[in-house]
């Protein structure tokens, strides 16, 4: 069986459907965005600050640069596992579907956790299943359930190191967006719980507040993510050269290539190789070691990442 065309984002250009998906995601993200929130600085950020002071690197993110923003992939970058699978478990618990579908969700999640990367065929199957399950349900109903599912299955799966990086951008006065193939409603709930600005996600069509079982465009994956970031940047007046993007997957190379500050977080093999070839910054939290102690060559930007927190903490202290 031939590999799906979107498996390699560098070979698959943006299509009209991916542009449509990106524009729809950007519109939905702006409508649901929250004002900046001054959350307490995480302990990980303090450790990054100490590493920055030792490295003597220039500060990034740049405090007060309101034409810059940060874009974070969700699955295996901010959160362990895939949001759509956790959401499926929660819906099964509430008897939205039968055990046969749960077995399929469980297998896909097990594969994802072992492989550590997205398989487009598995992800497409999961999304098709989710669309058929939510068809006919009200958007408000799924949002309410999503809040409960976050507490049950997602809250304890957030990578503290990645969360600290997001907080550094927030404390520098910048907006921070999740960018994910998960449903935009699910992504928005996660973004709000983490104190982020908002989320770009797959937009499912609804009429009068009820899901139709169809998508607007296509899933927000690969080139569609890049189109969403591009559309949001245009609407927000951002300079992409001053923005940062974070992802674990080679599928997100189109999005990472858009910005001036790309970061590979918990990278799969293809992304790690690509990042090293272009001297992108790397960060890996899967070993369980503290962020400030991860052994990555200086060329990979340890100091630059930590240095960003210096500006964040300085701004945080001035606000207090």
């Amino acid at each position: 069986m031939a590999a799906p065309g979107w498996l390699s984002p560098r070979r698959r250009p943006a299509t009209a459907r991916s542009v449509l998906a990106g524009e729809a995601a950007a519109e939905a993200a702006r409508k649901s965005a929250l004002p900046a929130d001054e959350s307490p600085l995480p302990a990980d950020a303090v450790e990054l600050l100490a590493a920055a002071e030792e490295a003597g690197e220039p500060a990034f993110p740049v405090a007060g640069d309101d034409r810059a923003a940060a874009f974070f992939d969700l699955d295996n970058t901010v959160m362990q596992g895939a949001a759509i699978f956790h959401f499926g478990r929660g819906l099964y618990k509430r008897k939205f579907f039968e055990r046969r579908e749960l077995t399929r969700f469980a297998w896909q999640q097990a594969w994802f956790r072992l492989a550590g990367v997205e398989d487009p065929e598995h992800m497409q199957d999961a999304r098709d299943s989710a669309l058929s399950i939510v068809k006919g349900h009200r958007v408000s109903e799924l949002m309410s359930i999503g809040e409960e599912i976050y507490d049950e299955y997602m809250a304890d799966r957030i990578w503290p190191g990645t969360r600290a990086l997001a907080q550094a951008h927030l404390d520098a006065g910048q907006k921070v967006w999740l960018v994910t193939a998960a449903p935009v409603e699910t992504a928005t709930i996660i973004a709000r719980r983490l104190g982020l600005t908002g989320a770009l996600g797959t937009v499912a069509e609804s009429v009068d507040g009820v899901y139709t079982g169809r998508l607007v465009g296509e899933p927000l994956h690969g080139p569609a993510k890049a189109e969403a970031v591009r559309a949001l940047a245009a609407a927000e007046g951002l300079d992409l050269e001053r923005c940062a993007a974070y992802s674990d997957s080679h599928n997100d190379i189109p999005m990472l290539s858009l910005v001036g500050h790309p970061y590979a977080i918990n990278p799969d093999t293809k992304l790690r190789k690509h990042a090293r070839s272009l001297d992108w910054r790397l960060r890996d939290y899967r070993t369980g070691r503290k962020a400030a102690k991860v052994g990555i060559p200086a060329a990979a930007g340890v100091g630059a990442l930590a240095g960003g927190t210096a500006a964040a903490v300085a701004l945080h202290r001035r606000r207090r």
Side-chain angles (χ1 to χ4, degrees):
M1 179 177 178
W6 67 357
L7 188 56
S8 174
R10 285 168 289 176
R11 296 180 183 176
R12 178 179 179 270
T15 65
R17 290 182 65 81
S18 61
V19 171
L20 176 61
E23 292 176 345
E27 181 181 359
R30 296 193 78 209
K31 287 180 178 178
S32 61
L34 294 179
D37 177 36
E38 295 185 17
S39 302
L41 199 65
D44 298 74
V46 176
E47 293 184 10
L48 286 175
L49 172 59
E53 292 174 344
E54 291 179 8
E57 294 285 343
F60 182 82
V62 178
D65 186 359
D66 59 3
R67 294 201 64 202
F71 301 93
F72 284 79
D73 168 56
L74 176 59
D75 297 344
N76 220 34
T77 301
V78 171
M79 181 177 67
Q80 299 176 51
I84 188 67
F85 301 137
H86 299 316
F87 190 61
R89 293 170 63 194
L91 291 182
Y92 170 76
K93 178 180 177 181
R94 291 159 177 80
K95 303 188 184 302
F96 270 67
F97 54 89
E98 301 301 322
R99 182 173 294 275
R100 181 180 61 181
E101 284 82 9
L102 177 64
T103 301
R104 181 168 59 183
F105 271 111
W107 156 244
Q108 290 165 334
Q109 172 67 356
W111 187 95
F112 184 89
R113 290 179 66 86
L114 288 172
V117 296
E118 299 174 9
D119 179 286
E121 229 176 336
H122 286 181
M123 299 299 285
Q124 180 66 55
D125 184 39
R127 283 187 289 271
D128 289 344
S129 299
L131 284 170
S132 65
I133 290 167
V134 303
K135 181 179 179 180
H137 288 274
R138 299 198 65 81
V139 175
S140 58
E141 176 191 10
L142 270 295
M143 287 290 287
S144 177
I145 291 174
E147 296 280 359
E148 300 171 1
I149 292 175
Y150 176 85
D151 291 327
E152 293 169 3
Y153 298 110
M154 302 180 189
D156 62 351
R157 297 176 184 273
I158 302 301
W159 292 108
T162 311
R163 177 66 185 85
L165 295 177
Q167 188 66 43
H169 285 278
L170 291 170
D171 286 343
Q174 298 175 4
K175 293 183 177 181
V176 178
W177 306 86
L178 292 180
V179 189
T180 175
V184 67
E185 293 85 4
T186 301
T188 298
I189 290 169
I190 297 170
R192 287 179 178 173
R193 290 302 192 92
L194 295 178
L196 310 184
T197 308
L200 297 155
T202 298
V203 178
E205 182 185 77
S206 63
V207 175
D208 296 328
V210 177
Y211 289 112
T212 66
R214 295 186 294 270
L215 293 181
V216 178
E218 64 182 16
L220 204 71
H221 188 280
K225 277 190 179 182
E227 292 302 319
V229 169
R230 196 192 314 274
L232 184 63
E236 294 275 313
L238 302 174
D239 180 353
L240 285 171
E241 278 299 311
R242 289 146 73 171
C243 293
Y246 302 78
S247 179
D248 71 296
S249 173
H250 71 280
N251 292 303
D252 288 338
I253 288 175
M255 177 181 74
L256 294 169
S257 299
L258 272 183
V259 301
H261 302 276
Y263 294 80
I265 304 293
N266 305 330
D268 61 34
T269 301
K270 289 183 180 180
L271 178 57
R272 183 180 293 274
K273 181 178 180 181
H274 187 85
R276 284 177 170 167
S277 71
L278 296 178
D279 203 24
W280 288 357
R281 297 180 179 92
L282 298 165
R283 212 42 148 188
D284 200 321
Y285 299 115
R286 291 169 294 191
T287 62
R289 289 174 291 177
K290 292 294 185 179
K293 299 179 182 179
V294 175
I296 300 175
V302 174
L305 267 175
T309 309
V313 173
L315 182 62
H316 183 76
R317 288 171 178 166
R318 287 199 298 274
R319 286 175 175 170
R320 295 182 65 186

